[in-house]
Amino acid sequence: MRPLAEHHCGICSQSLSAAGAECGNPICNWSPERRCFTRVDALALFAHPLKGPVKAFKYDEGKQGWAVIFGRLIVGWMNDHAEKMASIDLVIGNPSAPDRKPLQHIETIMLVAHSEDATDRWPIAAPGNPALIKLRETPKSAGGGVRWGEKMDAARAHAAALHLRQSVRGKRILLFDDVFTTGATFHTVGKLLTEAGAAEVRGLVLARVPFGS
């Protein structure tokens, strides 16, 4: 995998030109209260060789086996960053629609991660009792050239289709998704969780899309 740049944003993991440089991602200039998440850590950049498998797993038939790799990567990151995980009370996936084709990719990854964490070291939500589910399909905004406003509109529609099935009041939540582009979805889902009483929402993704991709 292509690692994050030596100098990267402490909020969205985007590559920076130098230490202390300002991130060009608009949402990173928002206050934490307005942003509704504190930070999102990425395992790698959304570039070769990780980019191909992630896209294939999400959109192609017969690529479900990648879930095993991705689920293990998540748990491996948690094991390697125990200090960041120490305050987390609940790990949940950003839900996909129940009839998503070829599969519910986030739920499949989280199923593997929960199984891989055999000693229950981390508070990964049980796959059979998800804390957050999506009730219906919503418009997509993935792909190059999509404008910020379109991303935010799609993210709001996504969050509006979610249903919280258990209390998150007072909990510090780690929200997992596959790819981070602008942070619009983390903002809208984070808003849903904080308005339900979550003490903090942080993020974890497989890959961070570099600017200009």
Side-chain angles (χ1 to χ4, degrees):
M1 297 190 298
R2 183 177 165 188
L4 300 181
E6 177 184 0
H7 305 302
H8 59 269
C9 177
I11 296 171
C12 78
S13 295
Q14 183 59 264
S15 301
L16 300 178
S17 58
E22 182 175 338
C23 181
N25 188 22
I27 209 166
C28 296
N29 295 315
W30 296 4
S31 68
E33 293 76 20
R34 180 188 177 194
R35 197 167 56 238
C36 299
F37 66 88
T38 51
R39 62 178 293 148
V40 175
D41 288 295
L43 275 65
L45 290 176
F46 192 54
H48 180 78
L50 182 61
K51 184 176 182 178
V54 170
K55 294 180 69 174
F57 173 67
K58 289 180 68 172
Y59 302 116
D60 297 345
E61 294 282 355
K63 301 296 184 180
Q64 290 88 343
W66 281 107
V68 176
I69 304 298
F70 298 151
R72 288 176 176 173
L73 285 173
I74 294 168
V75 175
W77 184 92
M78 294 178 184
N79 291 339
D80 290 342
H81 297 84
E83 73 287 352
K84 292 184 178 180
M85 292 296 300
S87 62
I88 294 297
D89 302 303
L90 181 65
V91 181
I92 61 177
N94 179 33
S96 53
D99 56 350
R100 188 191 184 280
K101 302 298 182 183
L103 78 167
Q104 288 183 283
H105 61 299
I106 298 299
E107 286 79 0
T108 306
I109 294 174
M110 295 305 294
L111 175 65
V112 173
H114 186 269
S115 177
E116 188 70 16
D117 182 32
T119 61
D120 292 327
R121 183 180 182 186
W122 309 118
I124 302 172
N129 185 32
L132 192 63
I133 61 172
K134 189 170 184 179
L135 302 178
R136 60 185 180 276
E137 186 60 86
T138 55
K140 297 178 176 61
S141 66
V146 179
R147 297 178 180 177
W148 168 263
E150 294 173 316
K151 288 271 189 188
M152 190 60 73
D153 287 344
R156 290 191 182 105
H158 168 73
L162 301 185
H163 173 61
L164 192 58
R165 300 177 68 249
Q166 58 184 260
S167 175
V168 295
R169 185 164 298 279
K171 293 183 178 180
R172 298 186 181 276
I173 295 173
L174 183 68
L175 178 66
F176 169 77
D177 209 345
D178 56 344
V179 176
F180 183 106
T181 305
T182 63
T185 299
F186 276 93
H187 163 64
T188 58
V189 179
K191 187 172 187 289
L192 171 71
L193 294 170
T194 54
E195 288 181 347
E200 181 188 7
V201 177
R202 297 205 322 250
L204 177 65
V205 295
L206 291 173
R208 203 313 177 193
V209 176
F211 281 149
S213 299

